[in-house]
Amino acid sequence: KAGVTQTPRYLIKTRGQQVTLSCSPISGHRSVSWYQQTPGQGLQFLFEYFSETQRNKGNFPGRFSGRQFSNSRSEMNVSTLELGDSALYLCASSPQGEGIVTDTQYFGPGTRLTVL
Amino acid sequence: QKEVEQNSGPLSVPEGAIASLNCTYSDRGSQSFFWYRQYSGKSPELIMFIYSNGDKEDGRFTAQLNKASQYVSLLIRDSQPSDSATYLCAVTGYSGGYQKVTFGTGTKLQVIP
């Protein structure tokens, strides 16, 4: 099976702009989670989608949003970009659909976002 | 106090030795515990998970969980240079009606040939 794919792999934006990142899960996986990874804060959970509904969320401001489509593909949007949003954004999918408490996460290669 | 704490390292061990990686967590209600390995420039990949107190073995890897003391560890036996990576501890549970996962900042392991 093909792994989790993310597009684009690299992105450069300026402050105040918005950005949309895309994630295609492993075939058959219905849960998609998003994470932000920075050198200072490490890997932080943004939110999880299952069956087109946001099922769980972390402690990020409302500028960070997402959605999931009927084919399980997911997008993440960040509005009004700030310099501190520069990070590696990772998407992960999981097969069981039971939630992040017990499911194994299979990570994609990530999108490197740089905000100037 | 961070929710999940790991020593950042680097932890240097000679090839063939046992590497011991530790992780402590603050939420007593935590449910599941995962160890991920992340090579430089790559995304995390699961090594193993543990739910219950005690030891769980998978090949050269053993996870140990002690909920009373709120720590989880990963032992790597017969360490190989290919084990050199950053190891992330992830702890899951519930908060405010939502499921949550919290990662430690990782321990960098260096296996010296």
Side-chain angles (χ1 to χ4, degrees):
Chain A
K1 280 185 180 178
V4 176
T5 59
Q6 293 186 243
T7 57
R9 294 292 311 277
Y10 302 91
L11 206 50
I12 299 175
K13 292 286 188 179
T14 56
R15 279 183 301 173
Q17 288 187 310
Q18 75 166 17
V19 65
T20 299
L21 313 181
S22 181
C23 171
S24 292
I26 294 171
S27 178
H29 288 195
R30 295 169 61 195
S31 168
V32 173
S33 298
W34 288 89
Y35 299 84
Q36 181 195 67
Q37 188 170 36
T38 60
Q41 298 296 319
L43 195 57
Q44 295 181 280
F45 172 65
L46 281 154
F47 31 66
E48 182 216 11
Y49 283 85
F50 179 76
S51 292
E52 302 179 61
T53 301
Q54 186 182 91
R55 183 164 63 175
N56 295 294
K57 65 176 185 175
N59 297 322
F60 276 79
R63 299 186 298 107
F64 293 83
S65 63
R67 60 177 176 168
Q68 186 181 34
F69 302 95
S70 58
N71 61 358
S72 295
R73 190 178 69 86
S74 178
E75 288 181 347
M76 189 191 86
N77 184 274
V78 187
S79 62
T80 319
L81 284 166
E82 300 176 359
L83 295 179
D85 297 332
S86 294
L88 178 67
Y89 290 88
L90 292 161
C91 164
S93 71
S94 58
Q96 292 93 336
E98 294 174 5
I100 56 177
V101 168
T102 55
D103 286 356
T104 297
Q105 304 285 303
Y106 294 86
F107 286 87
T111 295
R112 174 74 62 183
L113 172 65
T114 301
V115 182
L116 302 176
Chain B
Q1 181 190 10
K2 289 185 177 180
E3 288 189 53
V4 178
E5 295 208 53
Q6 295 180 257
N7 188 317
S8 61
L11 173 65
S12 295
V13 300
E15 184 175 354
I18 295 176
S20 177
L21 306 166
N22 299 311
C23 171
T24 59
Y25 59 95
S26 60
D27 184 355
R28 285 197 168 273
S30 296
Q31 301 284 314
S32 308
F33 307 84
F34 298 79
W35 282 100
Y36 288 86
R37 176 175 62 197
Q38 186 172 25
Y39 292 112
S40 180
K42 301 294 185 180
S43 54
E45 56 181 346
L46 180 73
I47 298 174
M48 62 191 305
F49 58 86
I50 187 167
Y51 303 145
S52 305
N53 275 330
D55 294 1
K56 180 181 179 182
E57 187 175 318
D58 184 0
R60 296 187 297 113
F61 300 95
T62 298
Q64 299 175 318
L65 175 61
N66 185 322
K67 288 190 175 182
S69 299
Q70 295 175 245
Y71 82 80
V72 57
S73 62
L74 179 70
L75 301 178
I76 306 175
R77 290 182 299 280
D78 188 24
S79 295
Q80 300 297 309
S82 59
D83 295 326
S84 297
T86 295
Y87 289 79
L88 303 172
C89 169
V91 177
T92 68
Y94 296 88
S95 176
Y98 291 101
Q99 296 180 10
K100 68 172 185 176
V101 56
T102 305
F103 285 80
T105 51
T107 297
K108 186 172 184 178
L109 174 66
Q110 294 178 338
V111 180
I112 312 301

